[in-house]
Amino acid sequence: MHRRALLLAFGSAPMLGGQVAARPAPLIAAAASLQPALEEAAALIMAETGIAPRFAYGASGNLARQIAQGAPFEMLIAADEISIQKLTEAGHTRDAGHVFALGRLALFAPRGSALDPATGLEALRPLLAAGRVQRFAIANPEIAPYGRAAEEALRRLDLWEALRPHLVFGTSIAQAAQFATTEGATGGLVAHSLALSPALTARGSFSLVPRALHGPLRHSFAVTKRGSDAALRVQAWLLSPGAIAVFARHGLQAP
C-alpha cells in the first residue's frame, strides 16, 4: 500500500519553564481522496485547538484493516460508511461514527487524450470500438470506495467488460489519479476532491459522473478505542461549520 504520514505543525511552540511544550499530535488514518482538504484543515485545527494532527493516507479498506490488526491510529476518516461500520461492529471504535461529507466521482482525461470528459462516460464506447483507449485508471474496487463506485458506474453503462483489458488499478484513489495523468493514459475515474487539486487541473480536465450511476459516497469518521482527548477534539472540529466550509471548497458536500 502506498501511503505517507504527514506531520503538520504551524507557528512556534509555547515555552513552559524553559522547555518547549509538546503539542498533542494524534495519528489519524485518512482516505487518500481527502488529502487536499485535510492539508488545509490541519492549519485551522492547529490554530483553533493547538493540536497538530498527523495524517496517514491510503485506501479506506486497507486503513480499516490495519486498525483491526492493531495499528496505532486514533481515528479513521474514511470515504465510505462500511469501513467505519465494520470497525464498530468489531469493537474498535468509541461510537458508531459520523457521516460528515458526500463525495462525487469524476471522469478525468489528461491533455491530449482522445477522451473529452465533457461528453461523459458514454464517450468511451466509440473510443473502445475504434481501439483508441489505452490505459484507463480506477482505484482497486476491493479496498477503495471510489473504486467500487467506478466499477458500479461502468457496469451500469455496460462498459465494464469492454474496458476491463485497459484498466489499471491504483491501490488508492490518489494513485489512480496519478495513473490517469501519465503519458499514454486515456484517463480515469477519480475523486472530485482530487480532480480539483492543482496537480490534476494543471494536467487535464474533468466532468462529474451522474450520482444515479453509483451508490452514494458517504464519507464518515470515528475515533478508535486508542483515541486520546486530542483525537476527540479533532473529531469535534470536523463536525464544525469551519470544517464544512473547508470540505465544500474541495468538492465535498455536507450530508
Side-chain angles (χ1 to χ4, degrees):
M1 183 195 70
H2 294 272
R3 67 185 180 89
R4 63 173 181 167
L6 182 64
L7 176 59
L8 296 172
F10 298 84
S12 58
M15 301 294 291
L16 295 178
Q19 300 293 322
V20 177
R23 289 178 173 133
L27 180 59
I28 298 172
S33 60
L34 297 169
Q35 185 168 354
L38 291 177
E39 287 182 350
E40 179 181 348
L44 296 174
I45 293 171
M46 181 64 198
E48 296 177 23
T49 70
I51 295 168
R54 297 171 294 157
F55 294 106
Y57 298 99
S60 297
N62 271 345
L63 296 171
R65 182 169 61 250
Q66 290 175 34
I67 290 171
Q69 293 173 347
F73 296 119
E74 296 185 40
M75 179 187 294
L76 172 61
I77 309 177
D80 62 357
E81 291 182 282
I82 296 173
S83 299
I84 299 296
Q85 289 171 356
K86 288 181 177 179
L87 287 177
T88 299
E89 291 168 1
H92 295 295
T93 64
R94 286 182 173 237
D95 56 31
H98 307 269
V99 175
F100 68 94
L102 303 176
R104 294 291 302 273
L105 190 65
L107 174 62
F108 174 86
R111 288 193 177 90
S113 171
L115 174 64
D116 178 5
T119 57
L121 280 170
E122 284 288 355
L124 286 169
R125 203 179 306 278
L127 292 178
L128 284 164
R132 300 185 67 192
V133 176
Q134 297 183 49
R135 296 189 303 276
F136 191 84
I138 69 170
N140 185 343
E142 295 184 3
I143 56 175
Y146 279 92
R148 290 196 296 272
E151 180 178 354
E152 186 178 354
L154 292 169
R155 286 188 181 278
R156 288 196 178 185
L157 293 175
D158 198 26
L159 287 166
W160 177 257
E161 293 302 328
L163 191 59
R164 194 167 186 172
H166 307 280
L167 291 176
V168 289
F169 297 96
T171 56
S172 70
I173 192 61
Q175 189 181 63
Q178 291 175 353
F179 289 162
T181 64
T182 57
E183 184 177 353
T186 301
L189 286 166
V190 304
H192 184 205
S193 54
L194 295 179
L196 290 170
S197 68
L200 265 68
T201 57
R203 297 184 182 184
S205 59
F206 73 91
S207 65
L208 292 177
V209 174
R211 291 187 180 93
L213 291 180
H214 60 83
L217 288 155
R218 291 169 59 85
H219 295 58
S220 59
F221 62 79
V223 174
T224 70
K225 287 293 180 66
R226 295 174 178 267
S228 61
D229 289 342
L232 290 173
R233 291 178 68 190
V234 172
Q235 174 182 255
W237 190 91
L238 290 172
L239 294 171
S240 71
I244 292 172
V246 169
F247 293 131
R249 285 195 289 273
H250 293 271
L252 297 156
Q253 301 175 339

